[in-house]
Amino acid sequence: MITITPSPAHLAAAAATFCASTISEAVNRRGRCTVLLAGGATPQALYEALSRVPYADNLPWAQVVVAWGDERLVPPDDARSNQRMAFRALLDAVPVNPAFVLTADTTLGPDAAAAAYEARLVEAFGLAPGEVPEFDLVFLGIGPDGHTASLFPGMAAVEETTRLVVATPAPDPSGPARLTVTLPVLNAAGAVVFLVQGAEKAAVVRQILGADGDASADSGAALLPAQRVQPTRPGAVVKWFLDEAAAAELR
Ligand code: 6PG
């Protein structure tokens, strides 16, 4: 399901509406909603929209469990931190239960940080060995190369099928290493929401969605990481929120 909006501001507003209904429905049905946040720049406007009226006041924030799909291994106060962005844009402004905000410890080394974050997810979801956390709502962005979370094309993290969280280098060797959840976690989601804006994403959007927005992944070509997000849970949905610039190559 694809929603194309005239601007990034409209994209944030449309995604906020869907997010709010998903949170409310999950809490009404199961008493909580588990949300996996995306990093990067695109989601910030959505998080800010959720931090304002009407959502700040009328969503059951105390029943929302928050985690991150990926994080850069930088200090918590570093401007590149995905966690820092989400706290400043949303989590510091709404009454979430701090015990339900599952942050990663980025002061640890890469493998230790990944193991610690996986252990935190296992504990929060009460998982038995081999089980995968089933997030109700997963936000993702994509890069021009088709990466999502920190699953970059050609890197081992994309092929991980056992661990829930791994450390991975970033393609840019000068950039910080990353933590990322793996595809089994993304594919256990109830709802996946891709948030994509900007002309630099138009080509990869067309590659993933097809010119008519009806791409069924071509089994022949090597799939991009974002194309391998294909949730298998019964009733799972994948929604794309695009601005017109990112949708420019779609008919
Ligand atoms: C990150 C994200 C990454 C991001 C895309 C798009 O930590 O950077 O997890 O996957 O979603 O790179 O980033 P922008 O929204 O900044 O274009």
Side-chain angles (χ1 to χ4, degrees):
M1 288 165 267
I2 301 171
T3 301
I4 299 174
T5 65
S7 74
H10 288 88
L11 185 157
T17 300
F18 175 77
C19 175
S21 63
T22 303
I23 289 174
S24 299
E25 181 191 337
V27 171
N28 290 340
R29 283 170 53 191
R30 288 186 297 280
R32 76 174 191 173
C33 181
T34 53
V35 181
L36 196 67
L37 296 179
T42 300
Q44 183 169 334
L46 163 63
Y47 301 161
E48 289 167 347
L50 292 171
S51 76
R52 294 190 291 265
V53 173
Y55 305 117
D57 302 334
N58 69 8
L59 286 180
W61 292 107
Q63 283 76 45
V64 175
V65 177
V66 173
W68 278 262
D70 71 326
E71 179 55 297
R72 294 87 178 271
L73 286 167
V74 296
D77 60 352
D78 189 296
R80 296 167 294 178
S81 165
N82 290 336
Q83 291 174 162
R84 176 180 180 269
M85 183 273 279
F87 275 105
R88 290 161 65 102
L90 174 59
L91 300 175
D92 287 341
V94 294
V96 289
N97 178 341
F100 290 174
V101 179
L102 310 178
T103 52
D105 182 352
T106 60
T107 63
L108 300 172
D111 292 335
Y117 200 43
E118 175 159 331
R120 189 153 196 206
L121 296 180
V122 167
E123 181 192 19
F125 282 79
L127 301 178
E131 289 186 329
V132 178
E134 297 184 343
F135 283 91
D136 297 304
L137 182 56
V138 170
F139 288 111
L140 290 171
I142 60 171
D145 62 354
H147 80 257
T148 194
S150 284
L151 300 171
F152 297 101
M155 293 211 176
V158 179
E159 306 307 330
E160 176 64 44
T161 57
T162 303
R163 288 178 291 171
L164 305 178
V165 181
V166 296
T168 180
D172 173 2
S174 67
R178 309 279 190 98
L179 296 183
T180 187
V181 300
T182 55
L183 281 169
V185 175
L186 299 180
N187 286 331
V192 171
V193 175
F194 283 100
L195 305 165
V196 191
Q197 65 190 36
E200 72 278 9
K201 309 287 178 75
V204 74
V205 163
R206 176 199 169 100
Q207 183 176 347
I208 294 171
L209 294 180
D212 297 316
D214 60 354
S216 52
D218 173 0
S219 57
L223 295 183
L224 298 170
Q227 288 176 297
R228 293 176 62 172
V229 177
Q230 300 172 22
T232 53
R233 199 199 300 188
V237 297
V238 177
K239 292 182 72 71
W240 290 77
F241 289 90
L242 309 171
D243 73 348
E244 286 177 353
E249 295 189 20
L250 302 182
R251 274 194 285 274

